[in-house]
Amino acid sequence: MKEIALLGGSFNPPHVGHLMAAWYVLATEPVSEVWLLPSYRHPFGKALASYDDRVEMCRLAAATIRGLHVCTAEAELAGDPMVGYTVRTLEHLRERHPGDRFALVIGTDILGETGKWHRWDRVQELCRVVVVGRQGHEDGAGGRPLLPAVSSTEVRERLVRGAEVSHLVPRRVLAYVREKGLYRG
Ligand code: ATP
C-alpha cells in the first residue's frame, strides 16, 4: 500500500518554501508521492489569483521535482457544503483511492491552529500527520530543520511594488505570473 503526502495551501502563488517542504517530505518520509492540494475557496482579503491559475502554477512548480503532483480534489467537492474542510477532502480522497494511505503535511506555522480545525480528531484518524519546520515558528519543530521564512505574502508584496522575486519563485511560475499579469496590485 503506498502512502501519499498532501501539502494543502492557498499557493497564492507557490514559492520555493513549498518546494523545499515537499522535497523534505519526499526525502525523509516513507511516502511515494507528495500532492500539492490548492484550496478551492478564494483566498479572500489577499491579492487574487483564481483557482485555475493557482492550480496551473502548482503544476509548473511540481514539474521541478520527481514525485510531486497536484491534486484538484477540492474542485471536485465544489458543490459540497463541506468544501474546504480538511476532514471532507480526506474522506473524499479515501473514497477515490481506497488502495492508498494518506499523510498530511503541516508547517509549524499552522500546527498550533489544528486543534481548532473542524473534526481534528477525525482528521488524525484518516491520515498520518507529518510536520515540517518553518523559520519563525520553532515550536513543534522537534529538532527538524527550519525551512526558510519565504511566504506567498512576501512574494505578492514584492510583485506589487515591482521588487525582484526570481530568488523566491520557481522560474516557470514567475513566467506564468508575468504572462497572466497576476499580482499587480
Ligand atoms: P500566505 O503567505 O499567503 O499565508 P504561505 O506562504 O503561508 O501563504 P500556504 O500556501 O498557505 O503558503 O502554505 C501551505 C503549506 O505550506 C502550509 O502547511 C505551510 O505551513 C507550508 N509552508 C509554506 N511555506 C513554507 C516555508 N517557507 N517553510 C515551511 N513550510 C511552509
Side-chain angles (χ1 to χ4, degrees):
M1 200 184 229
K2 73 174 187 212
E3 191 177 56
I4 297 158
L6 302 167
L7 177 60
S10 48
F11 300 102
N12 186 37
H15 53 68
V16 294
H18 294 123
L19 290 184
M20 288 182 206
W23 179 85
Y24 178 76
V25 171
L26 276 167
T28 62
E29 293 289 333
V31 301
S32 37
E33 295 175 11
V34 172
W35 292 358
L36 303 179
L37 175 72
S39 56
Y40 184 71
R41 278 186 298 190
H42 219 273
F44 286 104
K46 298 180 176 179
L48 316 172
S50 69
Y51 179 74
D52 289 347
D53 281 332
R54 289 180 291 118
V55 167
E56 190 51 33
M57 290 189 283
C58 283
R59 291 215 165 97
L60 294 167
T64 63
I65 297 178
R66 197 158 143 213
L68 184 57
H69 303 278
V70 181
C71 172
T72 55
E74 291 220 357
E76 290 157 22
L77 290 167
D80 190 292
M82 292 290 287
V83 62
Y85 288 96
T86 302
V87 67
R88 182 69 190 97
T89 308
L90 282 168
E91 274 167 355
H92 174 73
L93 284 170
R94 293 258 303 224
E95 275 165 34
R96 286 276 311 264
H97 306 274
D100 297 327
R101 277 189 315 218
F102 288 92
L104 186 67
V105 182
I106 307 230
T108 46
D109 56 311
I110 52 171
L111 200 54
E113 296 164 19
T114 51
K116 289 183 244 149
W117 288 11
H118 185 66
R119 298 292 326 269
W120 175 241
D121 53 334
R122 180 76 183 132
V123 169
Q124 288 174 292
E125 282 168 18
L126 291 167
C127 69
R128 185 169 73 89
V129 173
V130 169
V131 174
V132 293
R134 186 172 188 173
Q135 232 172 64
H137 304 273
E138 285 75 10
D139 284 359
R144 293 174 192 83
L146 300 173
L147 302 176
V150 185
S151 69
S152 298
T153 303
E154 179 188 359
V155 172
R156 290 193 302 273
E157 283 172 1
R158 294 182 72 90
L159 283 166
V160 166
R161 53 172 214 270
E164 191 61 52
V165 294
S166 58
H167 56 310
L168 301 177
V169 177
R171 231 150 43 90
R172 282 186 259 179
V173 171
L174 183 53
Y176 186 91
V177 167
R178 302 266 192 243
E179 184 193 316
K180 292 278 184 153
L182 303 177
Y183 310 113
R184 280 187 179 152

